[in-house]
Amino acid sequence: MPDALRSRMTLGIPITLGVILMTLNVTLMIFWIAVLARSAGWSALIIGVAVFALILVGLSFYLFLMIKEVRLNQRQANFIDSVTHELKSPIASLRLYLETLEMRSISDEQRTKFYRVMEEELERLDHLITQLLEVGRIDAIGAQSDPEELSLEAVLRKCGAAACAHHKREEAETISYDVQPMMVFARRLVLETIFRNLLDNAIKYAGDPPQVEVQVRGGDRGRVIIRIIDNGLGVPHELRKRIFGMFFRGGSELTRRQKGTGLGLYIVHTLVKLLNGRVSVHDRVGRSGSVFEVDLPGHRAFPESVTISR
């Protein structure tokens, strides 16, 4: 059954039930008012109307909770589908290559190619497991170390290099840096987790070839603004708040082209909040693409701004 049809059918039950109950409640309330207006005093009429109004509010709240719960269950099911696919796909690939290596005599060139693909699949599994572990202990990420003054440029360049290596891209051709020297007081692992996920997403959803720009600027009242800009298709307006929710991924697992679990941006949003910051997504002015903006408490590293480009 297509996901869209399944979603409509699942949501249709609580919505239909809620509408029927509300209609019955309104009908009874009108009947109550008509009867009491003729046969009883104003005090009974007011009490009756208040009771029916409370019932209507309760039904509305119940409907809201039901829809919220159904959507959460859908996101969880979507998450399980994606994680299952992400786990089974590299395992099946590794099994195939291992069986080929055991059963067939192949050239050294083919053997080297097989080892390289197997290494990539293992890295993919490791990345998935790391994300799942990060969600499970998100409040404790970096807790084993104390906060320190960190150079944003050093952190961003380290995360950019790691993201390019993960996607097998040349960093100099993929990411450009326009960074004012700024400092942030935070745990290193927390900051690296935030920007590793953002830069990984930027490269994943960028155009072909991917072009990512990293900007760092000083903001008002001791704030630092970090922008991760890509040349992809952008994020639709109606999804810009939902993409930071746990398990959320746009589209269907059957038709989606990009792999993932829908956890990266949830991790980013949660950790940025822990740092008393904000994260948002915007259009790229004049061009296609997205701008993920992170607003953190921080300060300049030097009295004067210095722009470093690469």
Side-chain angles (χ1 to χ4, degrees):
M1 180 183 296
D3 287 353
L5 180 58
R6 181 174 60 188
S7 173
R8 285 197 297 271
M9 291 179 65
T10 309
L11 283 173
I13 295 173
I15 290 175
T16 303
L17 179 60
V19 170
I20 291 172
L21 291 175
M22 287 180 185
T23 304
L24 288 173
N25 184 70
V26 171
T27 303
L28 288 172
M29 185 169 64
I30 294 172
F31 177 74
W32 180 273
I33 292 172
V35 170
L36 287 182
R38 294 180 180 179
S39 60
W42 283 104
S43 58
L45 178 63
I46 293 172
I47 292 172
V49 171
V51 170
F52 278 113
L54 286 174
I55 295 173
L56 185 60
V57 171
L59 286 172
S60 301
F61 185 64
Y62 164 78
L63 180 60
F64 168 77
L65 292 179
M66 282 293 296
I67 293 174
K68 187 176 180 180
E69 184 68 21
V70 168
R71 284 181 172 168
L72 175 61
N73 290 336
Q74 289 172 347
R75 290 200 302 271
Q76 289 174 337
N78 205 29
F79 166 74
I80 292 171
D81 289 343
S82 62
V83 168
T84 301
H85 175 75
E86 289 285 294
L87 287 171
K88 291 182 67 175
S89 180
I91 290 173
S93 178
L94 286 169
R95 181 183 292 115
L96 175 63
Y97 282 111
L98 284 172
E99 289 175 352
T100 303
L101 288 169
E102 289 177 352
M103 298 175 61
R104 293 178 54 188
S105 177
I106 59 176
S107 65
D108 291 341
E109 182 180 353
Q110 287 179 311
R111 188 182 301 274
T112 301
K113 180 181 178 182
F114 283 9
Y115 286 152
R116 185 172 63 252
V117 174
M118 290 166 67
E119 181 183 5
E120 291 174 357
E121 296 295 345
L122 285 172
E123 288 178 359
R124 180 175 158 190
L125 274 174
D126 180 68
H127 180 69
L128 172 62
I129 293 169
T130 299
Q131 274 203 329
L132 294 173
L133 290 174
E134 284 174 350
V135 170
R137 59 183 182 89
I138 197 164
D139 292 332
I141 289 179
Q144 68 275 13
S145 62
D146 295 325
E148 56 182 307
E149 289 284 347
L150 297 171
S151 165
L152 268 176
E153 180 176 7
V155 171
L156 287 165
R157 287 184 181 274
K158 178 180 178 180
C159 294
C164 288
H166 179 245
H167 290 280
K168 304 296 186 291
R169 296 284 182 176
E170 290 291 333
E171 184 183 6
E173 299 174 0
T174 305
I175 303 179
S176 63
Y177 297 88
D178 183 6
V179 180
Q180 291 181 348
M182 307 295 292
M183 306 293 290
V184 171
F185 186 70
R187 291 185 171 91
R188 181 178 297 276
L189 185 56
V190 170
L191 213 58
E192 289 179 355
T193 301
I194 290 170
F195 293 114
R196 187 187 67 232
N197 277 292
L198 285 175
L199 286 163
D200 182 78
N201 263 19
I203 296 174
K204 181 191 297 185
Y205 294 104
D208 188 15
Q211 297 292 323
V212 177
E213 183 179 353
V214 178
Q215 294 181 354
V216 176
R217 297 286 185 270
D220 298 330
R221 294 174 292 181
R223 309 290 294 185
V224 178
I225 308 299
I226 306 99
R227 298 185 181 93
I228 311 293
I229 306 166
D230 65 63
N231 63 334
L233 297 176
V235 180
H237 286 270
E238 64 272 15
L239 299 182
R240 290 187 181 178
K241 291 184 179 179
R242 297 172 61 194
I243 60 174
F244 295 105
M246 183 183 284
F247 308 135
F248 180 81
R249 298 193 73 211
S252 162
E253 291 299 328
L254 299 176
T255 60
R256 188 177 291 116
R257 291 181 299 173
Q258 296 292 351
K259 301 169 183 176
T261 59
L263 294 175
L265 290 179
Y266 168 77
I267 293 171
V268 168
H269 182 260
T270 304
L271 293 180
V272 168
K273 285 184 66 177
L274 290 177
L275 295 178
N276 296 316
R278 298 181 297 272
V279 59
S280 55
V281 59
H282 311 277
D283 287 325
R284 190 177 185 185
V285 179
R287 300 174 64 182
S288 65
S290 299
V291 180
F292 280 83
E293 183 175 288
V294 179
D295 182 337
L296 294 174
H299 61 86
R300 294 183 185 277
F302 304 107
E304 295 183 358
S305 299
V306 178
T307 300
I308 302 175
S309 302
R310 186 171 79 176

